[in-house]
Amino acid sequence: MKRLSNALRIADIEYVLDAPASVTGSASWVAHGVHCERHRHQYAGVDHAFTFDVVHLKYRHGRNLWHAAIITESWRFPQISNQPRTTKSIKLLQGRSSDILDWIRQARAAKLETASKS
C-alpha cells in the first residue's frame, strides 16, 4: 500500500482542498465532503520568526470515518540568506490511511474533471 505520509500525498490533499486565502487565526470550509479547519499560529521576534499551521480534515460520511491533520512549520531567521525549508507532515488521528487514499483519488479525479470542463 502507498504511504499516506509522503510529500506527494500531502500535495495531492492540498490540491483538492481549495483552502481559502491565507489568514491569521482560523478558517473552516468543506472540500469534497471533508470538513476542513485551519489554525495558524505565528510569532515574530528580533532574531527569528515562525508560522505553524494545523489543518484538520474530518470525513464523517458512511462507515469510513477518518480524521487527519496536516502540520506545516516555517521558520525565518533574518540574519541568514538561505532560510530553513518549510516542513510538512500528516498525522492520521482516526480511521485508516486506505480510506484517505481512496478519498484523495476520487477528489483529485473530480477536481481535474471539473477543471477540464472549464
Side-chain angles (χ1 to χ4, degrees), residues 68-101:
I70 297 175
I71 299 102
T72 305
E73 181 180 350
S74 301
W75 287 85
R76 291 173 307 286
F77 298 91
Q79 66 272 27
I80 63 173
S81 60
N82 59 341
Q83 297 296 317
R85 185 173 20 168
T86 296
T87 60
K88 292 186 182 218
S89 60
I90 187 167
K91 179 66 179 164
L92 181 61
L93 303 170
Q94 178 187 1
R96 299 179 310 184
S97 59
S98 61
D99 293 335
I100 297 176
L101 292 170

Side-chain angles (χ1 to χ4, degrees), residues 10 13 29 32 44 47 54 56-57 67-68 70 75 81 92 110:
I10 294 170
I13 291 171
W29 68 99
H32 301 277
D47 41 351
V54 179
H56 285 274
L57 311 167
H67 178 190
I70 297 175
W75 287 85
S81 60
L92 181 61

Side-chain angles (χ1 to χ4, degrees), residues 16-79:
V16 298
L17 285 186
D18 295 325
S22 295
V23 296
T24 300
S26 64
S28 63
W29 68 99
V30 176
H32 301 277
V34 171
H35 178 74
C36 308
E37 190 171 319
R38 178 176 55 209
H39 299 276
R40 174 165 290 161
H41 309 277
Q42 296 176 318
Y43 170 79
V46 174
D47 41 351
H48 71 279
F50 70 85
T51 303
F52 187 74
D53 281 354
V54 179
V55 178
H56 285 274
L57 311 167
K58 297 177 183 176
Y59 187 80
R60 301 281 181 238
H61 304 284
R63 295 180 306 181
N64 299 332
L65 308 178
W66 53 266
H67 178 190
I70 297 175
I71 299 102
T72 305
E73 181 180 350
S74 301
W75 287 85
R76 291 173 307 286
F77 298 91
Q79 66 272 27

